[in-house]
């Protein structure tokens, strides 16, 4: 067995990290830290959209 084949098999035996774990691993390995502010803004906008359709809507509309 070559080293590449062995490391591939070892990677298959590791525990599943989930989508967020893999995404943060990608950002760490590829130095993509500049993506964090974009993700934070998109997350806040998504939260505002969700809360805008609930009983909290009058309070959110007063902010703008």
């Amino acid at each position: 067995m070559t080293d590449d084949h062995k490391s591939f098999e070892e990677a298959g035996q590791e525990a599943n990290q989930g989508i967020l774990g893999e995404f943060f691993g990608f950002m760490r390995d590829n130095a993509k830290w500049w993506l964090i502010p974009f993700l934070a803004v998109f997350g806040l906008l998504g939260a505002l959209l969700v809360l805008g359709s609930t009983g909290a809507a009058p309070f959110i509309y007063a902010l703008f």
Side-chain angles (χ1 to χ4, degrees):
M1 247 193 264
T2 64
D3 289 334
D4 292 335
H5 186 69
K6 186 176 179 181
S7 64
F8 181 76
E9 288 180 1
E10 289 173 357
Q13 298 298 326
E14 292 179 1
N16 194 4
Q17 293 180 352
I19 190 74
L20 287 178
E22 288 196 24
F23 184 70
F24 284 117
F26 165 77
M27 289 193 331
R28 183 185 63 237
D29 293 340
N30 294 306
K32 301 289 184 190
W33 293 110
W34 55 270
L35 288 172
I36 291 176
F38 292 107
L39 295 175
V41 168
F42 288 144
L44 290 173
L45 287 174
L48 281 175
L49 287 174
V50 169
L51 291 174
S53 63
T54 64
F59 301 109
I60 293 173
Y61 294 140
L63 295 175
F64 299 103

